[in-house]
Amino acid sequence: MLRTYGPYALRRIGQAVVVVLLAYLFTFFVISILPGDPITSTLRNPENGFTEEDIARIVSYYGLDQPLLVQLAGSLGRFVTGDFGISLRSNLPVSQLILDALGSTLQLAGAALLVAIVLAVTIAYGTQFLPPRFGQGLLRSLPSLFLSVPNFVIGLLLINVFAFGLGLFTMIDTETPWGTFFAALALGIPVSAQLAEVLIANLDHESRQEYIAVARSRGLGQSRLFLRHLVKPSSLPAVTVLALMVGELLGGALITESIFGRVGIGTLVEGAVASQDLPVLQAVVSLAALVFVVVNLLADLAYPLLDPRVTVGGRARAVSPAADQDIRSDLQEEVSIV
């Protein structure tokens, strides 16, 4: 396993680096082919108050007086070293603006991811072990309900009830723990639907397998059965969904920040679009692509560790009868202890 996993990991890391570079090149060329010179046009806008000396300095910094390939080489070199240029709106380093706004967005996205995981796992667990008369049918319908309601509708409802009605937080300061929780709830509820659907479908499949029937017949507890023998084989598709959820969380965070009045990447992007601050937009798009690629890379690297049948060395590895017998022996040993 280790001999094949090492080359597999290196190959996937190399592919991830290529994808990030391609995303940056695509963003650069899209901006470059726009009619006119967007950066120079912004600089020469009288409302921005740049002098001719300022314009010449910034044009020289970005290499706008150089051929396109030279501009690309300079831009790519700055990106690799973490230099995202100067904001045309505030005349501050773009990296500083992003760092100032990133903390709030990461806090919101991380809390929303936690909310989504807890909701999805709770719903999936309930559909497996709750009797039908206690709401199993209702639990199975919750993901469809969550998916059909946009997060901004949920956000407005939470604001109306818990901010204006109960006064748990105020719209003047939504960075409080309660404000962050309800913003994360608005973002996490729709996202949890996809994860819950995948978990339910895979748990249904695994629960029909022979080794689960043996475990139940020998009296293995529901929680132990779920945690030790149902979660791991059902987690591989869930990891895929979690990786794809990152893009939705990033996009949804921008909307949620606007609804709850939070200052984060969404506010930064909104201001950059309004003022045509292209260095900020290019940096945010490139970093979003980087985060998405890194998360999916981590998911790909986790697949072979979760399921040995995943292709690592170029061909799929099937679980041997001996391995299946080991699972059953382990199961029988746990039952005898219980």
Side-chain angles (χ1 to χ4, degrees), residues 60-109:
S60 175
Y61 173 83
Y62 284 107
L64 297 178
D65 53 350
Q66 300 293 325
L68 186 60
L69 291 180
V70 176
Q71 296 181 37
L72 173 60
S75 178
L76 189 58
R78 291 192 298 269
F79 174 73
V80 171
T81 58
D83 181 3
F84 302 118
I86 304 297
S87 168
L88 303 182
R89 181 187 183 191
S90 61
N91 203 26
L92 294 173
V94 175
S95 56
Q96 177 184 336
L97 296 176
I98 291 177
L99 286 177
D100 291 341
L102 190 60
S104 176
T105 300
L106 288 180
Q107 184 183 44
L108 174 60

Side-chain angles (χ1 to χ4, degrees), residues 221-284:
Q222 298 282 37
S223 298
R224 196 178 184 90
L225 177 67
F226 180 79
L227 294 174
R228 292 293 300 275
H229 298 287
L230 281 177
V231 170
K232 186 173 181 179
S234 303
S235 60
L236 189 60
V239 170
T240 303
V241 173
L242 279 174
L244 295 175
M245 281 166 50
V246 171
E248 187 170 346
L249 283 172
L250 292 176
L254 306 186
I255 300 174
T256 306
E257 286 175 351
S258 299
I259 296 172
F260 282 83
R262 297 173 62 90
V263 178
I265 296 296
T267 308
L268 183 64
V269 171
E270 183 180 358
V273 171
S275 61
Q276 294 184 329
D277 198 344
L278 296 182
V280 173
L281 291 177
Q282 184 175 9
V284 171

Side-chain angles (χ1 to χ4, degrees), residues 4 19 34 58 94 140 151 156 161 206 261 273 286 312 315-316:
T4 55
V19 171
L34 291 175
I58 296 176
V94 175
R140 289 181 179 271
N151 67 329
L156 293 175
V161 174
E206 292 297 328
V273 171
S286 301
V312 174
R315 53 190 179 89

